[in-house]
């Protein structure tokens, strides 16, 4: 979602959305360094507001497409 994100560790199945508890596919790193994790739905919902406040967004929602192509569905 942004091109300026410093390298971070990939999100795993253990990472959960801070809003609903589903698997996280989006990490928002706030200007102070704190991270918020979101599922794809909540990541899309809050991305613009987070970006406007200076957060860097790590978007791994492409994993959902990869999982569906392999016959897996973790959404």
């Amino acid at each position: 979602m942004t091109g300026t994100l410093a390298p971070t560790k990939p999100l795993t199945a253990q990472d959960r959305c801070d809003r609903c508890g589903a698997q996280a596919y989006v990490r928002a790193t706030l200007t102070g360094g704190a991270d918020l994790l979101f599922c794809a739905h909540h990541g899309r919902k809050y991305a613009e507001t987070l970006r406007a406040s200076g957060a860097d967004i790590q978007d791994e929602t492409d994993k959902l497409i990869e999982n569906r192509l392999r016959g897996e569905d973790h959404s």
Side-chain angles (χ1 to χ4, degrees):
M1 290 183 181
T2 68
T4 60
L5 183 64
T8 59
K9 62 182 180 179
L11 294 165
T12 69
Q14 287 73 41
D15 292 313
R16 310 315 286 179
C17 176
D18 290 328
R19 187 74 178 137
C20 70
Q23 184 173 347
Y25 289 95
V26 177
R27 174 184 284 124
T29 302
L30 306 177
T31 55
D35 287 340
L36 295 173
L37 301 178
F38 295 107
C39 63
H41 165 79
H42 286 111
R44 284 188 301 270
K45 183 175 181 177
Y46 299 116
E48 290 303 317
T49 303
L50 289 164
R51 235 186 261 117
S53 67
D56 284 318
I57 308 294
Q58 175 185 351
D59 182 356
E60 296 185 9
T61 55
D62 57 328
K63 289 181 180 179
L64 290 168
I65 296 166
E66 292 169 12
N67 290 342
R68 287 197 178 120
L69 291 174
R70 288 193 309 256
E72 303 171 20
D73 188 358
H74 300 286
S75 54

